[in-house]
Amino acid sequence: MKKANLKTYRRAFQIFVALAFIIIPLLNRSRYSMVYGNFLSFHAFGIPFADPLAVLQLTIKNWYFTLDNFIGALLPLLLALILGTVFCSWVCPYGLLSELTQKISRKVLPKSYKGLPLFKNGFPLKLVIFVFGFIVFFMFSTTPILNQLSTAAWYTRFFQYYFGQDFISLCWLFLLGLLVIEFFAKKRLWCRYVCPQSILIILTKLINRKRMQVVFAEEKCICKPGYERCDMACTLSLKPKTLTNTLETECSNCGDCVVACKKMGKALSFESPLTEALLPDLRIARKYACRLLAVAVVGYLSFIIYQQLDFTPKAPGISHKLLTDKRIVLSSDTIDNLDILKNGSVVARGGQWPVNGSAGWQWQPQEELTIFKIIPNSRDPESYSLVYGNGEFAAGSSIRFEHNGTALSEEFPDDQYLITEFSNIPKGVVEHATVDGRVVLYEYANQIYVLNLEVKDPVGIIKKIETQGDHIGMETMLTNVKKWINSPQITVSEGAAPTLPFSTHMKVIFHDGHTEEMHFVTDAIVDRTSEEFDDPWF
Amino acid sequence: MAGSNNFLRPPGARSEEEFLARCLQCGQCAQVCIFDCIKMRRGFNFFMAGTPQIDPKEAPCYLCMRCSAICPSDALHDVDIYDVRMGFAELDRKKCLTWKEELLCRSCYERCPIKWKAMILERGEYPVITDECAGCGLCEHVCPVGAIVVTPTRFQNKKKGSKGGA
């Protein structure tokens, strides 16, 4: 097996960063917000990072200054000061794409084709473009428009758009176009000749003369002239042996040439006088640094996990390990399955269901493990039914319903059903499966029959409710903070009792786009003849 | 929507000019918004692309103020919700069910995050929007007949250094 060298680590880290910025918008979408941002500004566990150029644009033009941005910009600059422009070779996702394009281009295109003939030093052109762009920004714009030239930001922004608002941004055409041009030019044009974001970190690294850089020991070199391994390895098409002032500014310290030279003569190597001066014995220092870092990372992660965990005591009475979040599938004409949910509610589906009362059913475990209680109407806990498991709850055994209320016993004769399946409820189904709604027909004095629709919404997640059914015309469902009720009142009939049963259909639309339908069959009249009919709205 | 210019900035946004000069277009406000109401602006306008916007018809702002708390460049100023002025809601009395005396609706009043300050009930029944309105657009979102329209206040105060668009 190939031994892992510097290049393997580098590629792994590049891919990790590129994948991380695909996953982060997905995490944010599912309400995980410890890590967010793109390459212009980024927060990871409270630590800010920012694009130095973007911050410079804010600062220079209008003297806008925030501590968050300052620290964020300082961190990449400090990194550049000590290690050179490693951001380009280790982090930047466009750098990864460009490097891979360059590799493919060198393999696919014929060797006689040397690529687009361009001058050797890219940095002066880059500087000219940068200064020109900055002058344009300074004269004509207050918006930091140079941000729009950041290819790394466009890469991250594409996924922000895609996962955040389901919109396919056209910036992928821009990135692909650049890569295609680079493929045929056989040179990393954007990184070497244009990229304005890299200017600041290059200038910062030039301040430090003792930064990390590649040095060449001529006496060790054994390659034939014209067949240098290091030249082939360098994706920026620099010549690592002749790295002098202007060319060295472009080197991103990726270390590909050092790795290639290890097999030949070890003539190229990294030298970082500053780090060596600061840490005399690098090996011991590295050992302790690694340990310290490991302890810090583990400590910090465990702290976060501790914060995320919920130690509040669970609501009593609903914890029943065997039954919670389980689906019981029955061989019955009336009910196909019963979903027993953790939050204390039961949803019946299939067969003749969902019918009146399916929404808002509650369940309670009993002392014996094989019995549980279903309360179909939370407003009337007197009428309940007990469910007896014949033995354990498992596929193959049977259950028996026993009804103590009057309303239910007509619908269900006491009988047994075979459990055909007993399984966990798939995740995601549970979330909104329990809208508590009801439809009641009241009889008032003077034989006025009024239909009352009501849906509970204590948190305010419902956007709209559409109604349909017998005796229902153009009713509007209005919210009253805690619940939705129909307005105006629906007077079904006056003088004579209406013919029963009749059905009502409600479609509940949530803010997140999810919809749920409820079907109610009204077959009973609630007696309120002792009260005068009084419409609360008028 | 994407092309429309009639959008709101998130709560606590400075005056449009200063906001655009400060906004890094990093999209963090859209990523921390738990109601998914903040969207990053689309289109080919290089001055605007990537800046946050809110369309109250699609999803209104609930004034949870998470976005202004995390904005790294203070383009969204961390202000109290009573000082937020994203827009100004206007009520069309000819469309409003209550003003038409068809029924007592109160959908907007019940949902208003600053009720009894931004929205009061005249004679205990008829909704009236006052100068305290933050312009979050919740009332526009819940109104069953579309009687309320929020007009953004982005271009009203161009003075530099104004705080929180107040």
XYZ file of all heavy atoms in Angstrom, chain A residues 25 28 31 36-38 40-43 54 58 62 64 66 68-69 141-145 147-148 157 160-161 165 167 170 457 460 463 476 478-481 487-488 511 537-538, chain B residues 17-18 20-28 31-36 39-42 44 46-47 49-50 58 62 70 72-74 102-105 107 110-111 115 141 144 160:
715
model
N -25.041 23.900 4.376
C -26.400 24.404 4.121
C -27.480 23.371 4.417
O -28.564 23.729 4.880
C -26.377 24.741 2.632
C -24.966 24.925 2.290
C -24.205 24.017 3.178
N -27.948 23.445 8.124
C -28.673 24.659 8.513
C -30.147 24.523 8.213
O -30.990 25.036 8.930
C -28.119 25.868 7.751
C -26.714 26.193 8.166
O -25.880 26.520 7.355
N -26.443 26.086 9.454
N -32.092 23.054 10.818
C -32.041 23.858 12.040
C -30.823 23.598 12.904
O -30.863 23.786 14.103
C -33.310 23.651 12.875
C -34.569 23.946 12.137
C -34.733 25.412 11.935
N -35.777 25.672 10.944
C -35.540 25.902 9.668
N -34.300 25.918 9.214
N -36.519 26.141 8.840
N -22.081 28.127 10.016
C -22.811 28.708 8.903
C -21.936 29.731 8.197
O -20.938 30.184 8.722
C -24.118 29.348 9.370
C -24.007 30.169 10.625
C -23.561 31.478 10.584
C -24.322 29.616 11.855
C -23.445 32.222 11.737
C -24.202 30.355 13.012
C -23.761 31.655 12.947
O -23.636 32.376 14.087
N -22.345 30.090 6.995
C -21.620 31.099 6.237
C -21.029 30.538 4.966
O -21.147 29.353 4.674
N -20.421 31.420 4.183
C -19.693 30.955 3.002
C -18.282 31.541 3.043
O -17.845 32.020 4.079
C -20.459 31.285 1.722
C -20.612 32.766 1.499
O -19.923 33.573 2.104
N -21.521 33.131 0.635
N -17.008 34.168 2.115
C -16.832 35.595 2.370
C -16.811 35.862 3.866
O -16.079 36.709 4.343
C -17.951 36.385 1.697
C -17.931 36.281 0.179
C -19.179 36.867 -0.407
C -16.706 36.969 -0.368
N -17.641 35.127 4.579
C -17.626 35.219 6.032
C -18.207 33.924 6.570
O -19.179 33.426 6.039
C -18.463 36.409 6.487
O -18.457 36.452 7.885
N -17.593 33.422 7.624
C -17.900 32.065 8.040
C -17.766 31.962 9.544
O -16.852 32.526 10.129
C -16.924 31.111 7.333
C -17.057 29.686 7.722
C -18.172 28.970 7.363
C -16.054 29.059 8.450
C -18.296 27.634 7.725
C -16.178 27.723 8.806
C -17.302 27.024 8.440
N -18.713 31.284 10.173
C -18.631 31.079 11.611
C -18.647 29.590 11.909
O -19.538 28.892 11.459
C -19.827 31.716 12.312
C -19.632 33.159 12.581
N -19.782 34.116 11.609
C -19.276 33.820 13.700
C -19.545 35.304 12.130
N -19.236 35.153 13.394
N -12.815 41.218 1.400
C -14.160 41.727 1.656
C -14.148 42.694 2.825
O -14.766 43.761 2.778
C -15.109 40.566 1.947
N -14.920 46.983 3.040
C -15.782 47.697 3.987
C -14.986 48.767 4.725
O -15.433 49.892 4.919
C -16.373 46.745 5.032
C -17.263 45.604 4.615
C -17.986 45.085 5.830
C -18.242 46.055 3.580
N -15.655 53.085 3.731
C -16.517 53.872 4.623
C -16.097 53.821 6.086
O -16.793 54.319 6.940
C -17.950 53.350 4.527
C -18.575 53.714 3.209
O -18.450 54.830 2.752
N -19.230 52.753 2.596
N -16.162 51.261 7.994
C -17.001 50.376 8.785
C -16.107 49.308 9.375
O -15.283 48.717 8.681
C -18.069 49.703 7.910
C -19.070 50.648 7.349
C -19.635 50.429 6.108
C -19.468 51.762 8.075
C -20.560 51.302 5.590
C -20.386 52.632 7.570
C -20.930 52.408 6.322
O -21.840 53.257 5.829
N -15.982 46.123 12.386
C -16.532 45.359 13.501
C -15.482 44.376 13.991
O -14.642 43.912 13.220
C -17.791 44.560 13.105
O -17.452 43.730 11.994
C -18.938 45.451 12.742
N -15.840 41.372 14.972
C -16.061 40.054 14.385
C -15.305 39.923 13.055
O -14.563 38.969 12.832
C -17.567 39.876 14.183
C -17.948 38.449 13.946
O -17.545 37.910 12.901
O -18.646 37.865 14.797
N -15.482 40.934 12.201
C -14.799 40.919 10.908
C -13.295 41.014 11.073
O -12.533 40.378 10.352
C -15.270 42.108 10.066
C -16.518 41.773 9.309
O -16.889 40.621 9.232
N -17.150 42.773 8.782
N -18.598 52.497 -6.598
C -19.499 51.609 -5.869
C -19.239 51.685 -4.378
O -18.100 51.878 -3.940
C -19.303 50.173 -6.358
O -19.847 49.285 -5.428
N -20.294 51.563 -3.596
C -20.089 51.399 -2.165
C -20.233 49.932 -1.780
O -19.731 49.498 -0.765
C -21.112 52.211 -1.359
O -22.399 51.934 -1.878
C -20.827 53.686 -1.440
N -20.938 49.170 -2.620
C -21.094 47.747 -2.378
C -19.763 47.042 -2.612
O -19.058 47.373 -3.563
C -22.121 47.170 -3.362
O -23.154 48.104 -3.525
C -22.672 45.868 -2.875
N -19.391 46.101 -1.762
C -18.136 45.370 -2.009
C -18.236 44.469 -3.240
O -18.455 43.263 -3.120
C -17.924 44.584 -0.715
C -19.241 44.528 -0.063
C -19.987 45.728 -0.478
N -18.103 45.050 -4.440
C -18.369 44.258 -5.644
C -17.256 43.276 -5.966
O -17.473 42.333 -6.713
C -18.608 45.142 -6.895
C -17.591 46.257 -6.962
C -20.013 45.654 -6.950
C -17.563 46.933 -8.291
N -16.284 41.088 -4.199
C -16.746 39.797 -3.687
C -17.318 38.921 -4.785
O -17.280 37.703 -4.713
C -17.855 39.997 -2.648
C -17.305 40.524 -1.357
O -16.090 40.648 -1.221
N -18.180 40.814 -0.431
N -17.883 39.572 -5.809
C -18.522 38.792 -6.869
C -17.488 38.071 -7.729
O -17.833 37.237 -8.546
C -19.394 39.681 -7.752
C -20.367 40.545 -6.987
C -21.531 39.764 -6.410
O -21.594 38.555 -6.539
N -22.437 40.450 -5.748
N -21.795 29.512 -2.454
C -23.085 30.169 -2.605
C -24.047 29.317 -3.422
O -25.247 29.334 -3.177
C -22.869 31.501 -3.296
C -23.869 32.528 -2.901
C -23.621 33.771 -3.663
N -22.754 34.681 -2.947
C -22.448 35.876 -3.439
N -22.907 36.248 -4.598
N -21.672 36.673 -2.765
N -25.643 27.123 -1.037
C -26.545 27.895 -0.173
C -27.869 28.146 -0.882
O -28.937 28.003 -0.299
C -25.902 29.238 0.177
C -24.929 29.163 1.320
C -24.380 30.526 1.647
O -24.063 31.315 0.769
N -24.246 30.803 2.923
N -27.777 28.529 -2.147
C -28.996 28.757 -2.921
C -29.769 27.448 -3.090
O -30.971 27.401 -2.936
C -28.668 29.288 -4.319
C -28.471 30.770 -4.406
C -27.277 31.300 -4.846
C -29.496 31.644 -4.081
C -27.087 32.662 -4.954
C -29.319 33.007 -4.184
C -28.119 33.513 -4.624
O -27.956 34.844 -4.723
N -32.894 27.572 -0.646
C -34.146 28.029 -1.245
C -34.496 27.302 -2.538
O -35.216 27.853 -3.370
C -34.119 29.540 -1.434
C -32.893 30.069 -2.139
C -32.606 31.498 -1.745
O -32.149 31.756 -0.666
N -32.853 32.434 -2.631
N -33.093 26.704 -5.340
C -32.898 27.489 -6.546
C -31.541 27.141 -7.126
O -30.527 27.176 -6.421
C -32.974 28.980 -6.196
C -32.552 29.884 -7.308
C -33.326 29.995 -8.451
C -31.389 30.631 -7.208
C -32.935 30.827 -9.466
C -30.996 31.467 -8.231
C -31.774 31.567 -9.362
N -27.180 30.174 -11.503
C -26.462 29.991 -12.769
C -24.949 30.117 -12.604
O -24.223 30.018 -13.575
C -26.953 31.018 -13.790
C -28.336 30.716 -14.358
C -28.746 31.800 -15.327
C -28.333 29.379 -15.085
N -54.087 24.894 17.457
C -52.803 25.283 16.865
C -52.037 26.116 17.888
O -51.862 27.324 17.730
C -53.074 26.086 15.588
C -51.805 26.526 14.907
O -50.765 25.895 15.139
O -51.857 27.494 14.143
N -48.707 27.791 16.486
C -48.807 28.668 15.330
C -48.075 28.137 14.126
O -47.343 28.860 13.456
N -50.753 27.472 8.448
C -50.847 28.673 7.630
C -52.286 28.910 7.200
O -52.766 30.030 7.183
C -49.958 28.491 6.402
C -49.896 29.657 5.471
C -48.988 29.312 4.313
C -48.985 30.416 3.284
N -48.192 30.055 2.120
N -64.637 30.714 6.053
C -63.243 31.060 6.265
C -62.830 30.540 7.634
O -63.550 30.718 8.600
C -63.061 32.592 6.250
O -64.027 33.136 5.376
C -61.690 32.961 5.817
N -60.488 31.090 10.652
C -59.719 32.203 11.188
C -58.969 31.760 12.423
O -59.431 30.907 13.171
C -60.657 33.349 11.555
C -61.444 33.927 10.394
C -62.448 34.903 10.912
C -60.533 34.569 9.391
N -57.818 32.378 12.630
C -57.012 31.975 13.772
C -57.241 32.900 14.951
O -57.450 34.086 14.793
C -55.526 31.951 13.419
O -54.807 31.751 14.611
C -55.102 33.238 12.786
N -57.220 32.308 16.109
C -57.439 33.042 17.333
C -56.268 32.765 18.273
O -56.449 32.488 19.435
C -58.749 32.553 17.937
C -59.211 33.428 19.039
O -58.630 34.453 19.288
N -60.266 33.007 19.705
N -55.056 32.769 17.707
C -53.790 32.441 18.359
C -53.705 30.969 18.757
O -52.863 30.243 18.260
C -53.514 33.316 19.590
C -52.179 32.950 20.197
C -53.499 34.772 19.214
N -65.703 30.978 10.593
C -66.460 32.214 10.720
C -67.075 32.529 9.364
O -66.386 32.441 8.359
C -65.531 33.332 11.162
O -66.237 34.543 11.171
N -68.308 32.906 9.235
C -69.284 33.001 10.324
C -69.781 31.620 10.752
O -69.387 30.604 10.198
C -70.406 33.806 9.671
C -70.304 33.492 8.225
C -68.863 33.283 7.946
N -47.024 26.012 7.539
C -46.102 27.029 7.030
C -44.974 26.430 6.221
O -44.435 27.058 5.326
C -45.509 27.828 8.194
C -46.410 28.918 8.660
N -46.883 29.887 7.810
C -46.943 29.185 9.866
C -47.652 30.705 8.484
N -47.716 30.293 9.731
N -69.552 36.131 17.455
C -68.908 37.069 16.536
C -69.738 38.343 16.342
O -69.230 39.350 15.890
C -68.661 36.426 15.183
C -67.681 35.310 15.252
C -67.927 33.995 15.190
C -66.276 35.435 15.436
N -66.792 33.273 15.314
C -65.746 34.131 15.463
C -65.395 36.510 15.581
C -64.406 33.891 15.631
C -64.060 36.254 15.738
C -63.570 34.961 15.770
N -71.017 38.248 16.623
C -71.838 39.433 16.328
C -72.497 39.989 17.589
O -72.528 39.341 18.620
C -72.917 39.066 15.291
C -72.316 38.802 13.945
C -72.114 37.520 13.486
C -71.897 39.874 13.144
C -71.540 37.294 12.256
C -71.328 39.642 11.912
C -71.146 38.343 11.465
N -28.557 52.335 1.496
C -27.219 52.667 1.023
C -26.153 52.077 1.952
O -25.217 51.408 1.520
C -27.093 54.185 0.977
C -25.972 54.678 0.092
C -25.906 56.196 0.135
O -26.969 56.830 0.295
O -24.810 56.727 0.026
N -26.338 52.306 3.239
C -25.367 51.824 4.203
C -25.419 50.299 4.308
O -24.400 49.641 4.479
C -25.654 52.459 5.560
C -24.483 52.321 6.517
C -24.776 52.923 7.869
O -25.754 53.687 7.974
O -24.042 52.617 8.808
N -26.116 48.180 1.905
C -25.401 47.575 0.773
C -23.892 47.735 0.930
O -23.126 46.871 0.527
C -25.863 48.207 -0.534
C -27.185 47.686 -1.052
C -27.587 48.427 -2.296
C -27.098 46.205 -1.353
N -23.463 48.843 1.526
C -22.031 49.048 1.706
C -21.464 48.114 2.757
O -20.287 47.793 2.735
C -21.777 50.493 2.097
N -22.308 47.687 3.681
C -21.811 46.835 4.755
C -21.992 45.348 4.490
O -21.251 44.526 5.004
C -22.535 47.177 6.060
C -21.939 48.328 6.827
C -22.758 48.567 8.060
N -22.255 49.671 8.853
C -21.445 49.511 9.900
N -21.055 48.319 10.261
N -21.032 50.542 10.592
N -22.995 45.001 3.710
C -23.347 43.583 3.557
C -22.255 42.826 2.818
O -21.832 43.224 1.738
C -24.668 43.437 2.811
S -25.140 41.722 2.589
N -21.791 41.733 3.439
C -20.732 40.924 2.828
C -21.290 39.867 1.890
O -20.548 39.119 1.293
C -19.930 40.228 3.926
C -18.884 41.039 4.654
C -18.316 40.217 5.781
C -17.789 41.427 3.707
N -22.599 39.747 1.808
C -23.272 38.742 0.985
C -22.886 37.317 1.386
O -22.760 36.441 0.552
C -22.946 38.966 -0.503
C -23.343 40.329 -0.977
C -22.335 40.946 -1.911
O -21.316 40.354 -2.195
N -22.628 42.130 -2.384
N -22.688 37.116 2.685
C -22.247 35.792 3.129
C -23.423 34.844 3.349
O -23.229 33.637 3.468
C -21.435 35.900 4.406
S -22.315 36.659 5.769
N -24.652 35.375 3.439
C -25.822 34.500 3.537
C -26.006 33.855 4.892
O -26.765 32.909 5.030
N -25.303 34.354 5.919
C -25.450 33.725 7.234
C -26.825 33.981 7.826
O -27.372 33.138 8.522
C -24.369 34.247 8.180
C -22.988 33.886 7.702
C -21.925 34.257 8.712
O -22.181 34.372 9.882
N -20.718 34.430 8.245
N -29.126 31.509 6.671
C -28.880 30.167 7.204
C -29.333 30.005 8.645
O -29.661 28.907 9.066
C -27.386 29.824 7.077
C -27.028 29.418 5.662
C -25.549 29.210 5.481
O -24.754 30.065 5.808
N -25.164 28.078 4.962
N -29.362 31.105 9.422
C -29.823 30.955 10.807
C -31.321 31.214 10.950
O -31.869 30.988 12.013
C -29.072 31.881 11.785
C -27.625 31.532 11.852
C -29.274 33.323 11.441
N -31.983 31.687 9.885
C -33.406 32.006 9.985
C -34.206 30.717 10.159
O -34.225 29.865 9.274
C -33.888 32.734 8.741
S -35.621 33.163 8.798
N -34.879 30.579 11.333
C -35.560 29.310 11.584
C -36.901 29.247 10.875
O -37.520 28.202 10.827
C -35.748 29.039 13.090
C -36.533 30.170 13.734
C -34.446 28.829 13.791
C -37.054 29.804 15.094
N -37.369 30.370 10.339
C -38.655 30.349 9.647
C -38.480 30.322 8.133
O -39.459 30.371 7.399
C -39.475 31.577 10.045
C -39.770 31.625 11.509
C -39.029 32.416 12.361
C -40.780 30.851 12.035
C -39.297 32.447 13.712
C -41.054 30.873 13.387
C -40.310 31.670 14.228
N -37.236 30.276 7.665
C -36.929 30.266 6.233
C -37.553 31.435 5.503
O -37.984 31.302 4.360
C -37.397 28.954 5.585
C -36.411 27.844 5.842
O -35.266 28.168 6.168
O -36.777 26.675 5.732
N -34.353 35.101 2.245
C -33.798 34.448 1.059
C -32.644 35.301 0.559
O -32.646 36.508 0.711
C -34.849 34.346 -0.046
C -36.155 33.746 0.409
C -36.123 32.262 0.334
C -37.480 31.710 0.673
N -37.484 30.365 1.134
N -31.664 34.634 -0.074
C -30.595 35.405 -0.705
C -31.081 35.876 -2.066
O -31.702 35.124 -2.804
C -29.351 34.537 -0.848
C -28.631 34.321 0.459
S -27.531 32.931 0.396
C -26.173 33.629 -0.521
N -30.796 37.138 -2.382
C -31.338 37.706 -3.594
C -30.659 37.102 -4.814
O -29.453 36.890 -4.841
C -31.156 39.217 -3.613
C -31.903 39.862 -4.731
C -32.254 41.282 -4.440
N -32.821 41.912 -5.624
C -34.072 41.762 -6.012
N -34.883 41.003 -5.321
N -34.518 42.354 -7.094
N -31.471 36.835 -5.825
C -30.955 36.238 -7.057
C -30.777 37.324 -8.113
O -31.079 38.483 -7.889
C -31.934 35.200 -7.578
C -32.341 34.202 -6.545
C -33.604 33.540 -7.010
N -34.123 32.642 -5.979
C -35.270 32.024 -6.097
N -36.010 32.194 -7.161
N -35.690 31.232 -5.133
N -28.827 39.033 -11.830
C -27.530 39.399 -12.381
C -27.060 40.774 -11.923
O -26.064 41.272 -12.402
C -27.591 39.354 -13.907
C -27.745 37.965 -14.417
C -28.982 37.466 -14.769
C -26.637 37.137 -14.531
C -29.117 36.169 -15.230
C -26.771 35.840 -14.984
C -28.013 35.353 -15.328
N -25.011 42.825 -9.878
C -23.866 42.518 -9.042
C -23.883 43.263 -7.718
O -23.232 42.880 -6.775
C -22.565 42.836 -9.785
C -22.218 41.795 -10.792
C -21.342 42.072 -11.815
C -22.766 40.525 -10.703
C -21.029 41.108 -12.747
C -22.455 39.556 -11.620
C -21.582 39.852 -12.652
N -24.633 44.378 -7.662
C -24.677 45.131 -6.416
C -25.618 44.475 -5.412
O -25.521 44.711 -4.233
C -25.114 46.566 -6.701
C -24.182 47.287 -7.612
C -24.454 47.378 -8.967
C -23.024 47.846 -7.125
C -23.590 48.030 -9.810
C -22.151 48.499 -7.976
C -22.424 48.592 -9.318
N -26.885 40.917 -5.756
C -26.917 39.453 -5.703
C -26.319 38.951 -4.394
O -25.253 39.391 -3.978
C -26.140 38.873 -6.879
N -27.034 38.064 -3.732
C -26.525 37.474 -2.497
C -26.919 38.233 -1.249
O -26.671 37.762 -0.155
N -44.711 35.169 0.767
C -44.258 33.785 0.835
C -44.070 33.339 2.275
O -44.629 32.335 2.699
C -42.936 33.646 0.087
C -43.026 32.754 -1.128
C -41.729 32.729 -1.868
O -40.697 32.481 -1.229
O -41.758 32.964 -3.091
N -40.896 36.846 11.657
C -41.541 36.699 12.960
C -40.831 37.511 14.032
O -41.089 37.343 15.203
C -41.594 35.218 13.361
C -42.564 34.414 12.531
C -42.261 34.047 11.241
C -43.796 34.042 13.036
C -43.147 33.332 10.463
C -44.690 33.328 12.272
C -44.365 32.969 10.998
O -45.241 32.263 10.238
N -26.435 37.837 14.637
C -25.216 37.170 14.172
C -24.522 37.913 13.043
O -23.428 37.528 12.668
C -25.500 35.717 13.736
C -26.492 35.675 12.581
C -25.972 34.862 14.886
C -25.872 35.380 11.269
N -22.097 39.511 10.874
C -20.707 39.797 11.242
C -20.284 41.228 10.935
O -19.372 41.739 11.555
C -19.904 38.789 10.422
C -20.775 38.470 9.275
C -22.185 38.577 9.752
N -20.918 41.879 9.947
C -20.455 43.209 9.571
C -21.430 44.296 10.002
O -21.333 45.420 9.543
C -20.219 43.269 8.066
O -21.385 42.873 7.399
N -22.385 43.931 10.875
C -23.335 44.911 11.403
C -24.171 45.596 10.327
O -24.621 46.718 10.516
C -22.622 45.969 12.257
C -22.798 45.671 13.719
O -23.336 44.606 14.031
O -22.403 46.499 14.544
N -68.565 42.625 7.449
C -69.067 41.297 7.076
C -68.919 40.327 8.239
O -69.809 39.559 8.541
C -68.336 40.770 5.861
C -68.811 41.434 4.584
C -68.225 40.799 3.360
O -67.530 39.786 3.490
O -68.460 41.358 2.277
N -67.730 40.335 8.860
C -67.546 39.519 10.046
C -66.396 40.084 10.852
O -65.635 40.915 10.376
C -67.270 38.059 9.689
C -66.140 37.748 8.735
C -64.909 37.368 9.482
C -66.553 36.605 7.840
N -66.266 39.606 12.090
C -65.212 40.111 12.953
C -63.998 39.206 12.805
O -63.965 38.129 13.366
C -65.714 40.114 14.396
C -65.027 41.160 15.248
C -66.071 42.060 15.840
C -64.233 40.522 16.336
N -63.030 39.648 12.042
C -61.974 38.734 11.608
C -60.822 38.673 12.620
O -60.561 37.651 13.212
C -61.478 39.184 10.246
S -60.015 38.377 9.669
N -57.754 38.366 12.344
C -56.593 37.513 12.017
C -55.307 38.299 12.155
O -54.336 37.825 12.749
C -56.698 37.010 10.577
O -57.712 36.097 10.465
N -54.492 39.351 15.906
C -54.059 38.270 16.787
C -52.631 37.837 16.494
O -51.924 37.360 17.369
C -54.991 37.056 16.659
C -56.434 37.318 17.017
C -56.636 37.553 18.498
O -55.658 37.517 19.250
O -57.803 37.797 18.879
N -52.198 37.980 15.244
C -50.855 37.526 14.886
C -49.792 38.593 15.038
O -48.614 38.292 14.990
C -50.851 37.012 13.442
C -51.547 35.693 13.268
C -50.711 34.584 13.819
N -51.519 33.412 14.061
C -51.076 32.184 13.887
N -49.875 31.974 13.461
N -51.857 31.160 14.148
N -48.659 43.701 19.079
C -50.051 44.125 19.072
C -50.329 45.113 20.184
O -49.657 45.143 21.196
C -50.995 42.932 19.114
C -51.035 42.204 20.421
C -52.009 41.045 20.351
C -51.467 39.886 19.584
N -51.789 38.598 20.163
N -49.364 38.341 5.458
C -49.328 36.906 5.197
C -50.619 36.218 5.611
O -51.096 35.325 4.918
C -48.152 36.311 5.980
C -47.917 34.867 5.719
N -47.495 34.413 4.500
C -48.039 33.789 6.514
C -47.370 33.112 4.554
N -47.702 32.697 5.762
N -56.942 36.990 5.122
C -57.631 36.065 4.206
C -58.066 36.708 2.899
O -58.312 36.018 1.923
C -58.839 35.593 5.026
C -59.046 36.626 6.062
C -57.722 37.237 6.344
N -26.482 58.808 6.440
C -25.480 57.847 6.894
C -25.499 57.746 8.405
O -25.769 58.712 9.103
C -24.094 58.293 6.429
C -23.690 57.621 5.130
C -22.265 57.906 4.796
C -21.986 57.419 3.378
N -20.618 57.704 2.977
